[in-house]
Amino acid sequence: MGRSRYKITEPQQPHFVTLTVLHWIPVFTRPDTVNILLDSLRFLHKEGLSIYAWVVLENHCHFVLQSNALDRDIARLKSWTAKNLIKYLADHNIRQILDQLAFYKKAHKNDRSYQFWQEGVHPELIQGEKIMRQKVDYIHQNPVKRGYVDEETHWRYSSARQYAGLPGLLDICTEW
C-alpha cells in the first residue's frame, strides 16, 4: 500500500496514532530519551494538543491525540524529537544506535545523515466512546501484553496511572 492509505481524515477529531523508531531500534530504554519525547508533548500540549492516552515502549509509542491541526502537530513532534534524540545519541557517543539509524535510512532521505522515525503514523479516527475505550485500553495494556509489568498502572511511561486516579508524567484529558 502507498503512503495515502493512512490519512488524518478529520484533523480536529481525536486519532489513535503510532510512532515507530526506524527498524524498531530500541531507543527509549533510558529515561533521558523518553524525557525528550515527553518534553515535546508537553510543549505541544501548551499550544493546544490534547492527549487522551499514551504509552512509550522501547521502540515505539501509541497516542490518542487531538488538536486544531493534528497533522501539523504530529509533524512537529516527529521533527523536533528526531533532531533532539539524534543530538542526544551523538552527544553521548551511542554509536551503535546512530550507525543503525544511518544504515536503515531511506535512500530518498538524502538531506540528512540519519532517519529516526519510520514514515507515517497509521492514524485511526476515533468515532465514538466505544472506539475511544478500545484504543485507551489497548494503549494501557501494551506493556502488560509484552510481559514488562503485571498491571498497567505499574508502567511509568503511560497514562494508565492517571486513569486510575494516580499522578502521571503528562497532562491528559480523561473526559471524552
Side-chain angles (χ1 to χ4, degrees):
M1 286 274 141
R3 291 184 199 187
S4 62
R5 179 174 175 209
Y6 296 101
K7 288 204 181 287
I8 294 175
T9 54
E10 297 180 39
Q12 297 178 347
Q13 296 299 315
H15 282 72
F16 171 82
V17 297
T18 300
L19 279 66
T20 306
V21 178
L22 186 67
H23 208 69
W24 296 85
I25 300 167
V27 174
F28 299 113
T29 57
R30 301 163 172 83
D32 288 343
T33 56
V34 176
N35 283 330
I36 290 169
L37 178 64
L38 298 183
D39 285 346
S40 182
L41 288 161
R42 288 180 189 111
F43 174 82
L44 291 169
H45 175 73
K46 289 179 186 173
E47 294 206 338
L49 179 72
S50 295
I51 305 165
Y52 292 95
W54 65 278
V55 66
V56 177
L57 297 160
E58 74 279 6
N59 53 19
H60 72 287
C61 40
H62 298 292
F63 304 99
V64 174
L65 303 172
Q66 178 182 2
S67 78
N68 289 331
L70 187 56
D71 44 359
R72 181 202 63 177
D73 285 341
I74 291 172
R76 291 170 65 200
L77 173 68
K78 289 179 77 174
S79 175
W80 191 88
T81 55
K83 182 179 84 168
N84 285 281
L85 286 161
I86 289 167
K87 181 182 182 327
Y88 174 88
L89 295 169
D91 289 350
H92 291 83
N93 200 29
I94 304 171
R95 293 283 353 139
Q96 182 180 12
I97 292 176
L98 287 169
D99 291 347
Q100 291 178 67
L101 293 173
F103 180 80
Y104 292 113
K105 175 179 72 91
K106 299 292 183 199
H108 69 273
K109 304 244 182 218
N110 55 12
D111 61 335
R112 63 196 81 173
S113 300
Y114 306 103
Q115 178 182 345
F116 187 84
W117 296 110
Q118 288 186 18
E119 293 181 351
V121 294
H122 308 290
E124 296 178 39
L125 177 64
I126 304 292
Q127 296 179 317
E129 188 173 334
K130 180 180 177 185
I131 301 299
M132 178 68 93
R133 171 57 47 208
Q134 287 174 349
K135 295 303 182 186
V136 169
D137 288 345
Y138 174 82
I139 286 169
H140 293 162
Q141 282 297 310
N142 217 268
V144 176
K145 287 182 180 173
R146 290 174 151 251
Y148 297 159
V149 291
D150 291 330
E151 295 181 34
E152 60 188 27
T153 56
H154 293 170
W155 190 252
R156 177 174 173 75
Y157 300 119
S158 165
S159 54
R161 294 175 51 78
Q162 286 152 287
Y163 276 86
L166 301 168
L169 299 174
L170 291 174
D171 290 333
I172 62 164
C173 302
T174 56
E175 296 179 18
W176 334 304

